Amino acid sequence: MNGQDPETARPVTSSELLSVVASRELAGRRTVFAGIGLPTLAAELARLTVARDIEVVYESGVCGAHPSRLPETIADAVLITGAEAVVSMPTLFGSVLQGGHIDVGFLGAAQIDRWGSLNTSVIGDWDRPSVRLPGSGGAVEVMANAREVFVVMRRHTPRSFADVLDFCTTPGPDRALADGIRPLGVGVTRVVTELGVLARAGVGDELRLVAVHPGITVEQVRAATGWDLRTAARVTTTAPPTPAELRLLRDDVDPDRVYLR
């Protein structure tokens, strides 16, 4: 191995790449409402690297979480140990979220459209779906009330980046405004995928490609998107995970491989 650490010499998995790139997006943010899964990985890694003072909030009412291990569910008791506060659901949604105290809502999704609306309900026809998914949880409230929303998605295909969602579980501000509802936040501003990073400025702007991962081309990303994907004037290449980031992710954040694959 020529003195190379065998742990960091292991190939970087898609989950690791997504988690590292997503964690970097949290630099400079103060409060993040994290969904379970990859958003949890990204938030915990950010707390150890680019956002050491970040306050992580979970849907179960836990604020300022400092879990000794990653939670397996939103109701995992490990979230409570060492937390700054645990509040009731009405307080969490009525005061913390609707009070405008969340900088970033960090969500996952099965489908997303060019305006940042999400589907986490069904794939296929509502009455006879090919896949039935968990549904909204608190995502509708997060989308409407967080200052901005980041989304991390394991798959980047024309089916997951859809021109028309099979079902709209979580409408972005553009769709909500069309129905006469005015959200507090600007909706999705960043989407991290297995191929690259998409971004939008806010209401009236559609997602566009701003970065590709090493070895991925712009043409590959456009071919994997279900609409005519626009690109930034200059599409950059994301920096690969560093050995330090990988060690933290593998050894400190998720040593039990709860979410890393």
Side-chain angles (χ1 to χ4, degrees):
M1 300 293 291
N2 297 321
Q4 189 175 19
D5 183 349
E7 180 67 15
T8 56
R10 287 195 290 115
V12 177
T13 67
S14 175
S15 294
E16 291 168 344
L17 176 64
L18 287 168
S19 301
V20 169
V21 173
S23 73
R24 294 170 181 166
E25 297 288 347
L26 291 172
R29 269 59 176 204
R30 183 65 180 84
T31 54
V32 57
F33 194 113
I36 288 295
L38 289 177
T40 300
L41 278 175
E44 288 302 313
L45 181 58
R47 195 159 57 86
L48 297 173
T49 53
V50 299
R52 293 183 177 273
D53 294 327
I54 201 167
E55 180 179 355
V56 185
V57 179
Y58 287 94
E59 187 180 338
S60 49
V62 177
C63 300
H66 301 281
S68 58
R69 59 173 173 80
L70 284 185
E72 296 187 27
T73 69
I74 204 66
D76 196 323
V78 74
L79 285 173
I80 297 175
T81 305
E84 303 296 332
V86 180
V87 301
S88 67
M89 298 294 280
T91 299
L92 177 69
F93 287 97
S95 298
V96 177
L97 259 176
Q98 293 181 24
H101 299 295
I102 299 297
D103 291 334
V104 176
F106 217 141
L107 304 173
Q111 284 186 324
I112 187 169
D113 67 14
R114 72 182 73 198
W115 308 109
S117 290
L118 309 177
N119 173 20
T120 54
S121 294
V122 297
I123 299 298
D125 181 77
W126 174 263
D127 294 320
R128 300 179 64 87
S130 56
V131 179
R132 191 170 291 282
L133 301 163
S136 171
V140 171
E141 288 83 359
V142 172
M143 180 73 81
N145 295 292
R147 292 188 178 93
E148 59 182 322
V149 173
F150 294 170
V151 178
V152 59
M153 297 181 66
R154 290 187 182 273
R155 296 180 180 85
H156 193 141
T157 67
R159 190 71 184 272
S160 56
F161 284 74
D163 187 33
V164 178
L165 300 177
D166 291 357
F167 182 87
C168 182
T169 313
T170 308
D174 295 79
R175 189 160 183 162
L177 285 167
D179 290 336
I181 301 168
R182 181 171 293 278
L184 292 179
V186 299
V188 174
T189 58
R190 288 287 188 277
V191 183
V192 179
T193 86
E194 61 183 348
L195 300 181
V197 180
L198 283 67
R200 62 191 288 272
V203 176
D205 191 25
E206 65 181 75
L207 288 166
R208 64 190 66 213
L209 181 66
V210 297
V212 293
H213 298 320
I216 302 298
T217 67
V218 171
E219 290 71 25
Q220 283 178 282
V221 183
R222 297 194 73 203
T225 305
W227 67 84
D228 186 12
L229 179 64
R230 298 181 180 180
T231 61
R234 179 174 175 267
V235 177
T236 62
T237 300
T238 56
T242 66
E245 287 171 325
L246 289 174
R247 275 194 296 270
L248 284 171
L249 191 60
R250 294 168 176 174
D251 299 341
D252 295 345
V253 176
D254 195 9
D256 299 323
R257 303 298 189 267
V258 176
Y259 299 115
L260 287 178
R261 298 178 184 173

